[in-house]
Amino acid sequence: MHPWALEAALAAHCAYEQNNEAFWKLHDFFFDNQRQLTADNIREKIRDQLGAVVGLDPKRFMACQDSPATKSAIEEEVAFGKAQGVHATPTVFVNDQLVHVSDPAQMVSLIREVPGTSGGSITSGESARERRRTVAPSTIPDPAKGEFPTLGPTNAPNTLVVFSDFECPYCARLAKMIRNDVLLVEGERLRIVFRNFPLPSHLWARGAAEAASCAYEQKNEWFWKFHDFFFDHQHDLNAGNIHQEIMKNAHKLADLNYPKFQACLDDHGAKAILDRDLAYVIAKGIEGTPAVFFNGTRVDIVAPEQLLTLIQESKVGGN
């Protein structure tokens, strides 16, 4: 719909990769010159602007602009927005709450109404990046309390709760990141708790969640076998073959009581488990997957370094 918006987003992202100030320079340039920019001249105008941005390496910037990883990063942000119910722009959140702002007075009023704010300076640079990726703590009941599938030592000093959907590509990416990049480094200090949030728009997610939960009723290990199977084969699964693939995978688990597992699926024996998790999701206003809690605090994890940093900081704090 907006022919040059993606190109501008790519450019702003690449500017931010070098420094925060560069992003805002391009941000202001795009909005101040919106009427003069077109799909035909946007690249030329961006490159003309590079000289006005102090400290920006043009060669590195242009390599970033053409990188598939940069486009993937923008697509990930778009998908995250959709998962949070964002359908139009601008959409504004203040302290993780969706708000409707139509004039400056409303925004000022919202800021003044936030308890505990003192009007301090805004942090920039890398710390700002981490603050943007980590959702402000909220006081909620511990989502890890209860009988859920777990991975890692029961007495680990840190707990990561993941509300996940087996059909969600971002959930698969997070699961792989935790398995390959985090547990191998800090596996003794982290306990993973899985909770179900199959989205209604995903055609086979609910069936997969029921199967994994039926397996969990027999053995925690069998849940994780299904967990890895669904995420590792996500691209090969669909509504038409999910039941057949579940049964084939179940037969590979040597100690699984297959008739009991089959009966659980046929009778929807895991319905209560899923309903419990979905009730929590609704009560706490969780709208997208994956939704992650670290030691009871909602966080947004997009890179293994973030989670590893949280674990290291907890170690410094004495956990």
Side-chain angles (χ1 to χ4, degrees), residues 186-235:
E186 290 284 3
E188 294 303 310
R189 293 183 53 80
L190 187 65
R191 180 173 70 111
I192 309 297
V193 175
F194 184 98
R195 298 194 63 175
N196 297 284
F197 186 13
L199 299 175
S201 59
H202 287 163
L203 300 180
W204 56 266
R206 173 90 188 193
E210 288 193 12
S213 296
C214 284
Y216 171 68
E217 288 191 346
Q218 293 193 41
K219 195 175 182 179
N220 182 65
E221 180 185 347
W222 297 153
F223 169 87
W224 293 102
K225 291 289 187 181
F226 270 102
H227 170 281
D228 292 349
F229 170 75
F230 291 134
F231 283 137
D232 290 344
H233 298 86
Q234 198 177 66
H235 294 296

Side-chain angles (χ1 to χ4, degrees), residues 57-95:
D57 181 343
K59 190 173 181 179
R60 178 183 164 193
F61 175 91
M62 286 184 279
C64 171
Q65 200 175 13
D66 293 325
S67 169
T70 304
K71 187 175 180 182
S72 294
I74 300 301
E75 290 172 345
E76 186 170 328
E77 288 198 40
V78 171
F80 180 81
K82 288 180 179 178
Q84 304 307 311
V86 176
H87 301 295
T89 55
T91 299
V92 179
F93 291 80
V94 173
N95 290 352

